[in-house]
Protein backbone atom coordinates (compact mmCIF):
# COMPACT_ATOMS: atom_id res chain seq x y z
CA UNK A 1 0.00 0.00 0.00
CA UNK A 2 1.43 3.39 -0.99
CA UNK A 3 1.90 5.92 1.80
CA UNK A 4 0.35 9.36 1.19
CA UNK A 5 2.86 11.98 0.14
CA UNK A 6 3.72 14.48 2.88
CA UNK A 7 3.27 18.18 2.14
CA UNK A 8 6.42 19.97 3.24
CA UNK A 9 5.91 23.31 4.98
CA UNK A 10 2.09 23.36 4.63
CA UNK A 11 0.39 26.06 6.75
CA UNK A 12 -3.35 25.46 7.24
CA UNK A 13 -3.92 29.16 8.02
CA UNK A 14 -2.10 30.53 5.01
CA UNK A 15 -4.23 32.00 2.14
CA UNK A 16 -4.66 29.75 -0.85
CA UNK A 17 -2.57 30.48 -3.90
CA UNK A 18 -4.46 31.26 -7.13
CA UNK A 19 -3.69 27.70 -8.29
CA UNK A 20 -5.23 26.26 -5.10
CA UNK A 21 -8.43 28.41 -5.07
CA UNK A 22 -11.78 27.02 -6.22
CA UNK A 23 -12.53 28.11 -9.83
CA UNK A 24 -15.49 30.39 -8.92
CA UNK A 25 -13.57 32.12 -6.15
CA UNK A 26 -10.65 32.66 -8.49
CA UNK A 27 -12.98 34.02 -11.15
CA UNK A 28 -14.34 36.67 -8.80
CA UNK A 29 -10.94 38.05 -7.79
CA UNK A 30 -11.44 40.36 -10.78
CA UNK A 31 -14.38 41.14 -13.05
CA UNK A 32 -14.93 38.51 -15.75
CA UNK A 33 -12.82 39.76 -18.65
CA UNK A 34 -15.35 39.03 -21.42
CA UNK A 35 -18.13 40.82 -19.53
CA UNK A 36 -15.87 43.78 -18.78
CA UNK A 37 -14.97 44.10 -22.47
CA UNK A 38 -18.65 44.09 -23.43
CA UNK A 39 -19.40 46.79 -20.87
CA UNK A 40 -16.51 48.87 -22.25
CA UNK A 41 -18.03 48.56 -25.72
CA UNK A 42 -21.19 50.24 -24.37
CA UNK A 43 -19.44 52.74 -22.08
CA UNK A 44 -20.82 51.09 -18.93
CA UNK A 45 -17.65 49.71 -17.33
CA UNK A 46 -18.18 51.98 -14.30
CA UNK A 47 -20.56 49.39 -12.87
CA UNK A 48 -17.40 47.58 -11.68
CA UNK A 49 -15.81 50.70 -10.15
CA UNK A 50 -16.34 49.48 -6.55
CA UNK A 51 -15.39 45.89 -7.29
CA UNK A 52 -12.45 45.84 -4.87
CA UNK A 53 -14.72 46.84 -1.98
CA UNK A 54 -17.22 44.00 -2.53
CA UNK A 55 -17.37 40.66 -0.78
CA UNK A 56 -17.26 37.47 -2.83
CA UNK A 57 -21.06 37.15 -2.46
CA UNK A 58 -21.62 40.74 -3.59
CA UNK A 59 -19.32 40.28 -6.58
CA UNK A 60 -21.32 37.22 -7.57
CA UNK A 61 -24.58 39.20 -7.28
CA UNK A 62 -23.18 42.03 -9.40
CA UNK A 63 -22.03 39.69 -12.17
CA UNK A 64 -25.39 37.93 -12.25
CA UNK A 65 -27.22 41.27 -12.30
CA UNK A 66 -25.20 42.50 -15.31
CA UNK A 67 -25.50 39.15 -17.10
CA UNK A 68 -29.30 39.35 -16.73
CA UNK A 69 -29.34 42.46 -18.94
CA UNK A 70 -29.58 42.33 -22.72
CA UNK A 71 -26.77 44.86 -23.03
CA UNK A 72 -26.99 45.40 -26.77
CA UNK A 73 -30.76 46.02 -26.58
CA UNK A 74 -30.45 48.35 -23.59
CA UNK A 75 -27.66 50.28 -25.30
CA UNK A 76 -29.77 50.66 -28.45
CA UNK A 77 -32.71 51.95 -26.38
CA UNK A 78 -30.51 54.44 -24.52
CA UNK A 79 -28.91 55.78 -27.70
CA UNK A 80 -32.17 56.02 -29.67
CA UNK A 81 -34.08 57.59 -26.79
CA UNK A 82 -31.43 60.20 -25.96
CA UNK A 83 -31.00 61.03 -29.66
CA UNK A 84 -34.75 61.56 -30.11
CA UNK A 85 -34.90 64.17 -27.35
CA UNK A 86 -35.12 67.71 -28.66
CA UNK A 87 -35.82 66.69 -32.24
CA UNK A 88 -38.55 68.85 -33.77
CA UNK A 89 -41.92 67.07 -33.85
CA UNK A 90 -44.40 67.48 -36.66
CA UNK A 91 -47.03 70.13 -35.99
CA UNK A 92 -50.26 68.82 -34.49
CA UNK A 93 -53.74 69.15 -35.95
CA UNK A 94 -57.16 68.39 -34.46
CA UNK A 95 -58.58 64.91 -34.94
CA UNK A 96 -60.85 64.89 -38.03
CA UNK A 97 -64.54 64.67 -37.13
CA UNK A 98 -64.84 61.64 -39.42
CA UNK A 99 -62.59 59.65 -37.05
CA UNK A 100 -64.89 60.07 -34.04
CA UNK A 101 -68.22 58.48 -33.16
CA UNK A 102 -69.78 61.16 -30.97
CA UNK A 103 -72.64 60.57 -28.58
CA UNK A 104 -74.99 62.96 -30.35
CA UNK A 105 -74.58 61.38 -33.77
CA UNK A 106 -74.96 57.77 -32.60
CA UNK A 107 -78.36 56.24 -33.37
CA UNK A 108 -80.23 53.61 -31.37
CA UNK A 109 -80.16 51.35 -34.42
CA UNK A 110 -76.37 51.59 -34.63
CA UNK A 111 -75.92 50.88 -30.92
CA UNK A 112 -78.12 47.80 -31.13
CA UNK A 113 -76.33 46.54 -34.23
CA UNK A 114 -72.90 47.04 -32.64
CA UNK A 115 -74.05 45.30 -29.44
CA UNK A 116 -75.21 42.22 -31.39
CA UNK A 117 -72.08 42.18 -33.58
CA UNK A 118 -69.87 42.33 -30.50
CA UNK A 119 -71.75 39.56 -28.69
CA UNK A 120 -71.48 37.34 -31.77
CA UNK A 121 -67.69 37.87 -31.97
CA UNK A 122 -67.38 37.11 -28.24
CA UNK A 123 -69.46 33.95 -28.62
CA UNK A 124 -67.15 32.89 -31.46
CA UNK A 125 -64.13 33.26 -29.14
CA UNK A 126 -62.59 36.14 -31.09
CA UNK A 127 -62.13 38.59 -28.19
CA UNK A 128 -59.46 38.61 -25.50
CA UNK A 129 -59.13 41.08 -22.64
CA UNK A 130 -55.72 42.55 -21.80
CA UNK A 131 -55.31 44.12 -18.37
CA UNK A 132 -52.46 46.51 -17.56
CA UNK A 133 -51.89 45.78 -13.89
CA UNK A 134 -48.22 46.35 -13.11
CA UNK A 135 -48.70 49.13 -10.57
CA UNK A 136 -48.79 49.03 -6.80
CA UNK A 137 -51.29 51.07 -4.81
CA UNK A 138 -48.52 53.21 -3.34
CA UNK A 139 -50.35 56.51 -3.85
CA UNK A 140 -53.41 54.88 -2.28
CA UNK A 141 -51.43 54.04 0.83
CA UNK A 142 -51.09 50.34 -0.03
CA UNK A 143 -48.18 48.15 -1.11
CA UNK A 144 -50.57 45.62 -2.68
CA UNK A 145 -51.24 45.49 -6.42
CA UNK A 146 -53.67 48.26 -7.29
CA UNK A 147 -56.26 45.76 -8.52
CA UNK A 148 -56.56 44.31 -4.99
CA UNK A 149 -57.85 47.65 -3.73
CA UNK A 150 -61.33 47.89 -2.21
CA UNK A 151 -62.78 51.36 -2.91
CA UNK A 152 -65.43 51.02 -0.22
CA UNK A 153 -68.47 49.77 -2.13
CA UNK A 154 -71.19 48.05 -0.06
CA UNK A 155 -70.03 44.68 -1.42
CA UNK A 156 -66.41 45.28 -0.45
CA UNK A 157 -65.30 43.97 -3.86
CA UNK A 158 -61.83 44.71 -5.18
CA UNK A 159 -61.19 46.28 -8.58
CA UNK A 160 -60.05 42.86 -9.82
CA UNK A 161 -63.34 41.28 -8.72
CA UNK A 162 -65.50 43.97 -10.34
CA UNK A 163 -63.69 43.44 -13.63
CA UNK A 164 -63.81 39.64 -13.44
CA UNK A 165 -67.56 39.70 -12.77
CA UNK A 166 -68.13 41.99 -15.76
CA UNK A 167 -66.33 39.41 -17.89
CA UNK A 168 -68.57 36.70 -16.46
CA UNK A 169 -71.67 38.77 -17.22
CA UNK A 170 -70.61 39.45 -20.84
CA UNK A 171 -69.90 35.76 -21.33
CA UNK A 172 -73.44 34.96 -20.21
CA UNK A 173 -74.95 37.68 -22.42
CA UNK A 174 -73.00 36.39 -25.43
CA UNK A 175 -74.15 32.84 -24.77
CA UNK A 176 -77.78 33.92 -24.41
CA UNK A 177 -77.66 36.03 -27.57
CA UNK A 178 -76.31 33.28 -29.78
CA UNK A 179 -77.93 30.08 -28.53
CA UNK A 180 -81.34 28.85 -27.50
CA UNK A 181 -79.78 27.43 -24.36
CA UNK A 182 -79.52 30.26 -21.84
CA UNK A 183 -77.13 28.22 -19.70
CA UNK A 184 -74.60 28.04 -22.52
CA UNK A 185 -71.27 29.79 -22.14
CA UNK A 186 -68.78 31.79 -24.16
CA UNK A 187 -65.23 32.14 -22.90
CA UNK A 188 -63.18 35.35 -22.87
CA UNK A 189 -59.49 34.85 -22.20
CA UNK A 190 -58.03 37.34 -19.72
CA UNK A 191 -54.35 38.28 -20.08
CA UNK A 192 -53.12 40.04 -16.93
CA UNK A 193 -49.86 41.98 -17.15
CA UNK A 194 -48.09 42.29 -13.81
CA UNK A 195 -44.66 43.66 -12.89
CA UNK A 196 -41.83 42.13 -10.85
CA UNK A 197 -43.26 44.08 -7.91
CA UNK A 198 -46.85 42.80 -8.22
CA UNK A 199 -46.64 39.41 -9.93
CA UNK A 200 -46.57 37.05 -6.96
CA UNK A 201 -49.16 39.01 -4.97
CA UNK A 202 -51.49 39.22 -7.97
CA UNK A 203 -51.31 35.50 -8.66
CA UNK A 204 -51.89 34.70 -4.99
CA UNK A 205 -54.88 37.05 -4.82
CA UNK A 206 -56.53 35.42 -7.84
CA UNK A 207 -55.90 31.96 -6.40
CA UNK A 208 -57.25 32.73 -2.93
CA UNK A 209 -60.32 34.37 -4.51
CA UNK A 210 -60.76 31.34 -6.81
CA UNK A 211 -60.43 33.54 -9.87
CA UNK A 212 -63.68 35.34 -8.90
CA UNK A 213 -65.76 32.64 -10.60
CA UNK A 214 -63.74 32.45 -13.81
CA UNK A 215 -61.97 29.27 -14.84
CA UNK A 216 -58.30 29.27 -13.85
CA UNK A 217 -57.28 28.24 -17.37
CA UNK A 218 -58.86 31.33 -18.93
CA UNK A 219 -56.49 33.67 -17.06
CA UNK A 220 -52.86 34.11 -18.16
CA UNK A 221 -50.40 36.17 -16.13
CA UNK A 222 -47.24 37.67 -17.61
CA UNK A 223 -44.74 40.27 -16.46
CA UNK A 224 -43.77 43.57 -18.00
CA UNK A 225 -40.05 44.22 -18.16
CA UNK A 226 -37.73 46.48 -16.25
CA UNK A 227 -35.00 48.64 -17.68
CA UNK A 228 -31.96 50.32 -16.09
CA UNK A 229 -32.24 53.88 -14.86
CA UNK A 230 -29.58 56.13 -16.34
CA UNK A 231 -27.78 59.40 -15.73
CA UNK A 232 -28.26 62.23 -18.21
CA UNK A 233 -25.19 61.06 -20.12
CA UNK A 234 -26.58 57.54 -20.47
CA UNK A 235 -24.63 55.73 -17.75
CA UNK A 236 -26.30 53.12 -15.53
CA UNK A 237 -27.25 54.37 -12.07
CA UNK A 238 -26.14 51.90 -9.37
CA UNK A 239 -28.74 51.32 -6.67
CA UNK A 240 -26.11 49.54 -4.55
CA UNK A 241 -22.46 48.76 -5.30
CA UNK A 242 -23.61 45.38 -6.65
CA UNK A 243 -27.00 46.18 -8.24
CA UNK A 244 -28.10 48.36 -11.17
CA UNK A 245 -31.09 50.58 -10.40
CA UNK A 246 -34.04 49.48 -12.57
CA UNK A 247 -37.63 50.59 -13.09
CA UNK A 248 -40.64 49.11 -14.91
CA UNK A 249 -40.67 49.95 -18.62
CA UNK A 250 -44.11 51.64 -18.54
CA UNK A 251 -47.54 50.34 -19.50
CA UNK A 252 -46.33 50.42 -23.09
CA UNK A 253 -43.96 47.65 -22.05
CA UNK A 254 -46.93 45.38 -22.70
CA UNK A 255 -45.97 45.13 -26.37
CA UNK A 256 -42.45 43.87 -25.72
CA UNK A 257 -43.73 41.59 -22.96
CA UNK A 258 -46.36 40.00 -25.22
CA UNK A 259 -43.68 39.46 -27.83
CA UNK A 260 -41.06 37.96 -25.51
CA UNK A 261 -43.62 35.76 -23.72
CA UNK A 262 -44.88 34.33 -27.02
CA UNK A 263 -48.40 35.37 -26.04
CA UNK A 264 -49.15 36.84 -29.46
CA UNK A 265 -48.71 33.32 -30.81
CA UNK A 266 -50.87 32.05 -27.94
CA UNK A 267 -53.65 34.44 -28.92
CA UNK A 268 -53.44 33.34 -32.53
CA UNK A 269 -53.63 29.67 -31.54
CA UNK A 270 -56.80 30.41 -29.55
CA UNK A 271 -58.45 32.01 -32.58
CA UNK A 272 -58.43 35.49 -31.01
CA UNK A 273 -58.68 38.39 -33.47
CA UNK A 274 -59.51 41.39 -31.25
CA UNK A 275 -57.95 42.57 -27.98
CA UNK A 276 -59.67 44.88 -25.49
CA UNK A 277 -56.90 46.64 -23.53
CA UNK A 278 -57.40 48.74 -20.39
CA UNK A 279 -55.82 49.97 -17.15
CA UNK A 280 -56.68 48.43 -13.81
CA UNK A 281 -57.47 51.65 -11.93
CA UNK A 282 -60.90 52.43 -13.41
CA UNK A 283 -63.81 51.33 -11.21
CA UNK A 284 -66.36 51.78 -14.03
CA UNK A 285 -64.42 50.15 -16.88
CA UNK A 286 -66.72 48.20 -19.22
CA UNK A 287 -64.45 45.23 -19.74
CA UNK A 288 -65.08 43.40 -23.04
CA UNK A 289 -67.71 45.98 -24.06
CA UNK A 290 -69.80 44.40 -26.85
CA UNK A 291 -70.86 47.79 -28.23
CA UNK A 292 -67.27 49.05 -28.53
CA UNK A 293 -66.21 45.75 -30.09
CA UNK A 294 -69.08 45.87 -32.59
CA UNK A 295 -68.19 49.44 -33.51
CA UNK A 296 -64.54 48.44 -33.94
CA UNK A 297 -65.46 45.56 -36.25
CA UNK A 298 -67.91 47.74 -38.17
CA UNK A 299 -65.28 50.43 -38.80
CA UNK A 300 -62.69 47.87 -39.94
CA UNK A 301 -59.82 49.76 -38.29
CA UNK A 302 -56.59 48.48 -36.74
CA UNK A 303 -56.87 50.44 -33.51
CA UNK A 304 -59.55 52.31 -31.59
CA UNK A 305 -59.86 54.17 -28.31
CA UNK A 306 -62.68 55.27 -26.08
CA UNK A 307 -62.45 59.00 -25.38
CA UNK A 308 -64.18 61.55 -23.17
CA UNK A 309 -64.55 65.25 -23.85
CA UNK A 310 -61.98 67.35 -22.08
CA UNK A 311 -63.76 69.05 -19.19
CA UNK A 312 -61.87 72.37 -19.41
CA UNK A 313 -58.78 73.66 -21.27
CA UNK A 314 -56.33 73.22 -18.38
CA UNK A 315 -57.46 69.69 -17.43
CA UNK A 316 -54.39 67.50 -16.92
CA UNK A 317 -55.18 64.79 -19.47
CA UNK A 318 -53.53 63.68 -22.67
CA UNK A 319 -55.49 64.32 -25.85
CA UNK A 320 -55.62 62.66 -29.24
CA UNK A 321 -54.23 64.75 -32.11
CA UNK A 322 -53.20 64.24 -35.69
CA UNK A 323 -49.43 64.49 -36.02
CA UNK A 324 -48.64 66.36 -39.24
CA UNK A 325 -50.79 66.98 -42.29
CA UNK A 326 -52.66 63.76 -42.97
CA UNK A 327 -50.48 62.00 -40.41
CA UNK A 328 -51.43 59.34 -37.87
CA UNK A 329 -53.47 59.89 -34.73
CA UNK A 330 -51.45 59.93 -31.55
CA UNK A 331 -51.63 61.25 -27.99
CA UNK A 332 -50.03 64.46 -26.72
CA UNK A 333 -49.63 64.84 -22.98
CA UNK A 334 -51.15 67.94 -21.37
CA UNK A 335 -47.70 69.24 -20.43
CA UNK A 336 -46.68 69.22 -24.11
CA UNK A 337 -49.76 71.10 -25.36
CA UNK A 338 -49.28 74.86 -25.78
CA UNK A 339 -51.83 76.76 -23.59
CA UNK A 340 -53.11 78.70 -26.59
CA UNK A 341 -53.85 75.46 -28.44
CA UNK A 342 -55.38 73.91 -25.31
CA UNK A 343 -57.87 76.81 -25.14
CA UNK A 344 -58.67 77.05 -28.87
CA UNK A 345 -62.31 76.52 -29.86
CA UNK A 346 -63.66 74.78 -32.96
CA UNK A 347 -66.08 77.42 -34.29
CA UNK A 348 -68.18 74.80 -36.11
CA UNK A 349 -68.74 72.35 -33.24
CA UNK A 350 -68.30 74.71 -30.29
CA UNK A 351 -65.94 72.16 -28.69
CA UNK A 352 -62.30 72.62 -27.83
CA UNK A 353 -60.23 72.00 -30.97
CA UNK A 354 -58.19 69.45 -29.00
CA UNK A 355 -60.92 67.91 -26.86
CA UNK A 356 -60.69 64.11 -27.08
CA UNK A 357 -59.08 62.87 -23.86
CA UNK A 358 -57.28 59.55 -23.70
CA UNK A 359 -58.54 57.36 -20.80
CA UNK A 360 -56.59 54.12 -21.53
CA UNK A 361 -59.49 52.13 -23.02
CA UNK A 362 -58.27 50.64 -26.28
CA UNK A 363 -59.14 48.01 -28.88
CA UNK A 364 -56.62 46.43 -31.25
CA UNK A 365 -56.56 43.70 -33.86
CA UNK A 366 -54.10 40.89 -33.22
CA UNK A 367 -52.41 41.61 -36.54
CA UNK A 368 -51.80 45.18 -35.42
CA UNK A 369 -50.37 44.08 -32.05
CA UNK A 370 -47.83 41.98 -33.92
CA UNK A 371 -46.93 44.98 -36.08
CA UNK A 372 -46.59 47.28 -33.07
CA UNK A 373 -44.52 44.86 -31.01
CA UNK A 374 -42.02 44.54 -33.87
CA UNK A 375 -42.09 48.25 -34.79
CA UNK A 376 -41.54 49.57 -31.27
CA UNK A 377 -38.73 47.08 -30.69
CA UNK A 378 -37.02 48.11 -33.92
CA UNK A 379 -37.35 51.86 -33.28
CA UNK A 380 -36.29 51.53 -29.60
CA UNK A 381 -37.46 55.02 -28.62
CA UNK A 382 -38.57 55.37 -25.00
CA UNK A 383 -39.87 58.40 -23.13
CA UNK A 384 -37.34 59.84 -20.68
CA UNK A 385 -38.64 61.07 -17.35
CA UNK A 386 -36.37 62.95 -14.95
CA UNK A 387 -36.91 61.38 -11.52
CA UNK A 388 -35.22 60.89 -8.17
CA UNK A 389 -33.60 57.46 -8.38
CA UNK A 390 -32.28 55.36 -5.48
CA UNK A 391 -28.51 55.11 -5.79
CA UNK A 392 -25.35 54.49 -3.81
CA UNK A 393 -25.24 58.27 -3.26
CA UNK A 394 -28.79 58.43 -1.89
CA UNK A 395 -31.64 59.53 -4.12
CA UNK A 396 -30.12 61.21 -7.14
CA UNK A 397 -31.68 62.86 -10.19
CA UNK A 398 -31.58 60.65 -13.25
CA UNK A 399 -33.71 59.35 -16.10
CA UNK A 400 -36.28 56.58 -16.12
CA UNK A 401 -37.10 55.12 -19.52
CA UNK A 402 -40.60 53.94 -20.34
CA UNK A 403 -43.06 53.40 -23.14
CA UNK A 404 -46.76 54.19 -23.01
CA UNK A 405 -49.68 52.17 -24.26
CA UNK A 406 -50.62 54.97 -26.66
CA UNK A 407 -47.21 54.75 -28.38
CA UNK A 408 -48.92 52.15 -30.58
CA UNK A 409 -51.21 54.58 -32.36
CA UNK A 410 -48.69 56.18 -34.75
CA UNK A 411 -48.17 52.70 -36.24
CA UNK A 412 -51.88 52.26 -37.03
CA UNK A 413 -52.93 52.56 -40.68
CA UNK A 414 -56.42 53.43 -39.42
CA UNK A 415 -57.73 54.54 -36.03
CA UNK A 416 -61.22 55.34 -34.75
CA UNK A 417 -62.30 57.13 -31.57
CA UNK A 418 -65.47 56.26 -29.66
CA UNK A 419 -66.89 58.88 -27.30
CA UNK A 420 -68.19 57.75 -23.90
CA UNK A 421 -69.65 59.56 -20.89
CA UNK A 422 -67.30 60.01 -17.96
CA UNK A 423 -70.05 59.35 -15.44
CA UNK A 424 -70.82 55.98 -17.05
CA UNK A 425 -67.39 54.52 -17.81
CA UNK A 426 -64.57 56.46 -16.18
CA UNK A 427 -64.01 56.41 -12.41
CA UNK A 428 -60.21 56.58 -11.94
CA UNK A 429 -58.62 55.45 -8.69
CA UNK A 430 -55.20 57.12 -8.56
CA UNK A 431 -54.85 59.17 -5.37
CA UNK A 432 -55.50 58.55 -1.69
CA UNK A 433 -58.68 59.81 -0.06
CA UNK A 434 -58.21 63.44 0.94
CA UNK A 435 -56.75 64.36 -2.44
CA UNK A 436 -58.68 66.70 -4.73
CA UNK A 437 -59.55 64.18 -7.44
CA UNK A 438 -59.45 60.54 -8.63
CA UNK A 439 -59.74 59.00 -5.16
CA UNK A 440 -61.42 55.79 -3.96
CA UNK A 441 -64.19 57.95 -2.47
CA UNK A 442 -64.85 59.80 -5.74
CA UNK A 443 -64.81 56.53 -7.70
CA UNK A 444 -67.19 54.86 -5.25
CA UNK A 445 -69.67 57.73 -5.56
CA UNK A 446 -69.53 57.55 -9.36
CA UNK A 447 -70.39 53.83 -9.20
CA UNK A 448 -73.20 54.30 -6.67
CA UNK A 449 -74.76 57.22 -8.53
CA UNK A 450 -74.70 55.44 -11.90
CA UNK A 451 -76.23 52.29 -10.47
CA UNK A 452 -78.88 54.32 -8.65
CA UNK A 453 -79.92 55.78 -12.02
CA UNK A 454 -80.12 52.24 -13.43
CA UNK A 455 -82.40 51.12 -10.59
CA UNK A 456 -84.75 54.10 -10.93
CA UNK A 457 -84.89 53.64 -14.73
CA UNK A 458 -85.85 49.99 -14.13
CA UNK A 459 -88.78 51.02 -11.93
CA UNK A 460 -87.16 50.74 -8.52
CA UNK A 461 -87.29 53.20 -5.62
CA UNK A 462 -84.59 54.43 -3.25
CA UNK A 463 -84.73 55.54 0.35
CA UNK A 464 -81.72 57.10 2.02
CA UNK A 465 -80.72 58.55 5.36
CA UNK A 466 -78.05 60.82 3.88
CA UNK A 467 -78.41 63.09 0.82
CA UNK A 468 -78.74 61.00 -2.33
CA UNK A 469 -75.90 62.87 -4.03
CA UNK A 470 -73.60 61.41 -1.34
CA UNK A 471 -74.75 57.82 -1.66
CA UNK A 472 -76.52 55.37 -3.97
CA UNK A 473 -76.76 51.64 -4.62
CA UNK A 474 -74.36 49.08 -6.07
CA UNK A 475 -75.62 46.67 -8.71
CA UNK A 476 -73.59 43.47 -8.91
CA UNK A 477 -72.00 43.02 -12.36
CA UNK A 478 -73.42 39.49 -12.26
CA UNK A 479 -76.92 41.06 -12.40
CA UNK A 480 -76.31 43.72 -15.04
CA UNK A 481 -73.41 44.82 -17.21
CA UNK A 482 -74.66 48.24 -18.34
CA UNK A 483 -78.11 48.64 -16.78
CA UNK A 484 -79.81 45.92 -18.82
CA UNK A 485 -82.23 43.29 -17.49
CA UNK A 486 -82.94 45.00 -14.15
CA UNK A 487 -86.72 45.33 -14.41
CA UNK A 488 -87.40 41.87 -12.97
CA UNK A 489 -85.18 42.62 -9.99
CA UNK A 490 -86.09 46.27 -9.36
CA UNK A 491 -89.59 47.12 -10.61
CA UNK A 492 -91.81 48.14 -7.68
CA UNK A 493 -89.13 47.39 -5.07
CA UNK A 494 -87.60 49.86 -2.64
CA UNK A 495 -83.91 49.79 -1.77
CA UNK A 496 -82.27 51.66 1.10
CA UNK A 497 -79.02 53.32 0.04
CA UNK A 498 -76.24 52.40 0.34
CA UNK A 499 -76.68 48.69 -0.42
CA UNK A 500 -75.70 46.05 -2.95
CA UNK A 501 -78.28 44.59 -5.31
CA UNK A 502 -77.44 41.03 -6.30
CA UNK A 503 -79.26 37.84 -7.13
Amino acid sequence: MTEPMAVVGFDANAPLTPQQQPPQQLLLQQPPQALLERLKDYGQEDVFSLWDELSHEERDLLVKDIESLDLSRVDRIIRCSLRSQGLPAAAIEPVPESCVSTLEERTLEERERWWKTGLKAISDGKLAVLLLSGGQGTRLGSSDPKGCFNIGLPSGKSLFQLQAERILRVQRLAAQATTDNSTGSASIHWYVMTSPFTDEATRNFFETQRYFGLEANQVTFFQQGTIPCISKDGRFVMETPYKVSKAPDGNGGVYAALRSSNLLEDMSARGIKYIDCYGVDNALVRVADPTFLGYFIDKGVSAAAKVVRKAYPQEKVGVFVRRGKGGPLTVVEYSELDPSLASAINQVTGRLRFCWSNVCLHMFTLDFLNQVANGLEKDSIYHLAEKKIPSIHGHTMGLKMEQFIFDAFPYAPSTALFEILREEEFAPVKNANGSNFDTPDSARLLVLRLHARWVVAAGGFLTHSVPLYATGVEVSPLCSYAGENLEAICRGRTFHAPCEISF
Side-chain angles (χ1 to χ4, degrees), residues 38 64-72 74 228 236 244 246:
R38 289 188 65 212
K64 288 179 178 176
D65 191 43
I66 301 301
E67 287 178 337
S68 72
L69 298 174
D70 184 339
L71 289 173
S72 62
V74 173
F236 293 163
V244 176
K246 305 181 191 75

Side-chain angles (χ1 to χ4, degrees), residues 99-101 114 290-299 304 416-418:
C99 292
V100 188
S101 171
W114 292 333
T291 303
F292 186 36
L293 175 57
Y295 165 77
F296 181 71
I297 294 171
D298 191 39
K299 294 292 287 186
L417 304 183
F418 187 83

